[in-house]
Amino acid sequence: DRRYNLKGRTLTSLNRAMAEWHRELEAIERIEAAQRRAEQARANGQAASRETGRWAGSTLLDWSWKPSAREAASRREEFVVSQLSTAAELVAESSAMRHCVSSYAAKCIAGHASIWSMRRRVPGKVDRLLTIELDRQHRAVQVRGFANRLASADEKQVLGRWAKARGIILPA
């Protein structure tokens, strides 16, 4: 990563960052190994593709919404909800959001769940807001923010728009 800089970093912080990077690589390898096992177990091979490293996931499409100028917190604000369907995406979400969503890979590969990430985009910046687990019937099983916090009122409003647009059932 060309943006990575050693300036101001200690040997201890570098070792910590390296250990975290190795844990992420190991998690990706475990997920990809599970995906390969699932592929081999399926005679028809429809659920996942080894070439792309993706699993089939939900049939729902990604979604985005731009609030009106009156509703937006900042100019050109946009909310995006997209499906995470690779090991790298799950591990990155898990690491950035400080929760265990990467451990749900086997459920995703088997088609029992899909994982979605809600993000807020403004020019020059993307913030991860929520991670959402859907079951096969497009019901939200879990909705969590950073470190497993619950969704804020503002996030719930955006979540409701997404759910309405995609026919998703949210928890009461």
Side-chain angles (χ1 to χ4, degrees), residues 75-141:
R75 270 185 90 214
R76 297 188 299 185
E77 178 181 49
E78 178 182 22
F79 292 90
V80 177
V81 180
S82 56
Q83 186 171 187
L84 306 178
S85 55
T86 69
E89 290 171 340
L90 279 182
V91 170
E93 184 83 357
S94 198
S95 178
M97 297 293 279
R98 299 289 187 240
H99 54 50
C100 66
V101 75
S102 64
S103 67
Y104 290 76
K107 286 173 72 173
C108 295
I109 292 166
H112 299 298
S114 60
I115 304 296
W116 299 77
S117 179
M118 178 192 291
R119 299 173 187 183
R120 177 181 174 263
R121 288 188 197 158
V122 293
K125 187 176 180 186
V126 177
D127 294 317
R128 292 175 195 258
L129 302 176
L130 298 172
T131 306
I132 306 128
E133 176 191 359
L134 298 182
D135 66 12
R136 285 181 176 172
Q137 290 76 36
H138 301 148
R139 293 181 298 219
V141 177

